[in-house]
Amino acid sequence: MMNRSIIFFDIDGTLLNHDKKLPLSTKESIFKLKELGHEVAIATGRAPFMFEDLRKELDINTYVSYNGQYVVLKGEELYRNPLNISSLEKLTEAALHNNHPVVFMDHEDMRANVPEHTYITESIATLKIGRFPTHDPHYYKGRELFQTLLFCPEREEKQYEQEFHDFDFVRWHPVSVDVLPKGGSKAQGIKKIVERLGIHPERQYAFGDGLNDMEMLSTVQNSVAMGNAEEKVKSVAKYETKSVEENGIFHGLQMVGLL
């Protein structure tokens, strides 16, 4: 198909509304894109096990997870970018001293370094994934981790940013930040997929709404910010659609001429 495009969708606030529901118009739009011969992919900060049901519902087997650190193309692992374990161990020690718990995450599971903490419960509950991390303070040993969650109030991550230069810190909740390999992003993960598929920049699209979407939206040529996105997210996108609650995906796909 000469005019085949690839469209990357964020999940929370983009595919899913604020109740973590998939609007019918969005589901219908995704299947219409595939009927037209386009490639449809997910680009999310979530772990693969956090959106398995969504992938099955939409029949999507290409995705950028962990904000670009673990990438799968048509069901096959394409790219891995793990955290520096030595630096992570030092960060964990500092966080424990500050009563800031962490959750270690690989492509299969997540484990917390403390038995329980209100910050963990409060933030993970908002994802509505039906599971919480179990306790294993040594889960980082002997395995590749692609993201860690650091739980601390807003602006308290600054102390870690100043000390741990192997990592990027991206806030996704008032009491939680993603800890990623330095320079890792959805944009980097997307690059791996489009290079392998040979899809030109003018045929690449991305939809998102969050702070962790900013590099993706500023890099992908045809980028669309959701109407519910913050203004600084909208400022880096080429287009702005309606909010997720107002059939924003359907409207945006029509606006850019894909539907």
Side-chain angles (χ1 to χ4, degrees):
M1 177 183 173
M2 293 299 293
N3 293 324
R4 179 184 64 155
S5 295
I6 187 166
I7 308 95
F8 293 90
F9 294 97
D10 171 53
I11 293 180
D12 300 288
T14 301
L15 286 178
L16 300 184
N17 64 23
H18 295 95
D19 293 323
K20 305 304 178 187
K21 302 294 185 183
L22 180 69
L24 179 60
S25 66
T26 297
K27 184 174 182 177
E28 291 174 343
S29 297
I30 297 297
F31 280 98
K32 184 61 177 178
L33 286 174
K34 293 196 288 185
E35 286 176 18
L36 293 170
H38 300 304
E39 295 284 343
V40 180
I42 287 173
T44 181
R46 289 190 182 210
F49 56 83
M50 289 182 174
F51 60 102
E52 187 174 1
D53 289 346
L54 182 63
R55 296 201 307 273
K56 290 178 179 177
E57 183 175 1
L58 296 176
D59 191 26
I60 294 175
N61 55 15
T62 294
Y63 58 88
V64 173
S65 64
Y66 284 133
N67 289 312
Q69 315 322 307
Y70 187 77
V71 179
V72 169
L73 174 61
K74 300 183 184 296
E76 299 295 328
E77 185 181 291
L78 177 64
Y79 176 67
R80 304 163 73 102
N81 185 32
L83 294 161
N84 181 300
I85 295 300
S86 175
S87 296
L88 179 61
E89 186 171 18
K90 294 175 183 176
L91 181 146
T92 302
E93 291 173 357
L96 197 61
H97 177 75
N98 295 327
N99 192 30
H100 292 158
V102 300
V103 168
F104 307 114
M105 310 178 82
D106 62 10
H107 61 298
E108 296 178 328
D109 204 358
M110 57 181 173
R111 303 290 176 87
N113 72 327
V114 295
E116 59 181 21
H117 197 286
T118 55
Y119 286 174
I120 296 177
T121 304
E122 176 185 338
S123 57
I124 298 294
T126 65
L127 297 175
K128 298 185 179 180
I129 57 174
R131 64 189 290 181
F132 289 88
T134 54
H135 179 219
D136 184 351
H138 304 297
Y139 193 67
Y140 64 90
K141 295 184 177 181
R143 70 180 73 242
E144 287 188 328
L145 301 179
F146 302 103
Q147 185 168 285
T148 289
L149 301 180
L150 170 66
F151 297 85
C152 62
E154 293 184 75
R155 291 182 293 279
E156 291 190 18
E157 70 272 20
K158 299 299 182 184
Q159 59 187 301
Y160 301 100
E161 292 175 352
Q162 294 170 2
E163 183 176 355
F164 297 99
H165 300 145
D166 286 340
F167 305 133
D168 284 331
F169 298 82
V170 181
R171 183 163 292 278
W172 65 276
H173 186 275
V175 295
S176 185
V177 296
D178 295 329
V179 182
L180 305 168
K182 190 71 174 180
S185 71
K186 292 184 182 183
Q188 291 298 315
I190 286 172
K191 183 180 178 181
K192 301 295 181 182
I193 292 175
V194 297
E195 285 180 346
R196 177 65 63 89
L197 293 177
I199 298 178
H200 294 292
E202 63 270 17
R203 306 304 305 177
Q204 299 170 21
Y205 296 79
F207 285 70
D209 74 299
L211 298 177
N212 64 339
D213 293 319
M214 290 183 68
E215 187 164 352
M216 172 179 77
L217 294 176
S218 62
T219 302
V220 174
Q221 185 163 317
N222 301 294
S223 58
V224 185
M226 303 299 290
N228 45 276
E230 292 184 27
E231 289 304 317
K232 59 183 174 181
V233 178
K234 294 177 181 178
S235 71
V236 301
K238 184 175 181 179
Y239 304 101
E240 178 185 340
T241 184
K242 296 180 180 180
S243 75
V244 63
E245 307 288 354
E246 300 173 300
N247 303 312
I249 294 298
F250 172 71
H251 177 78
L253 290 169
Q254 282 194 320
M255 179 175 59
V256 299
L258 287 171
L259 291 182

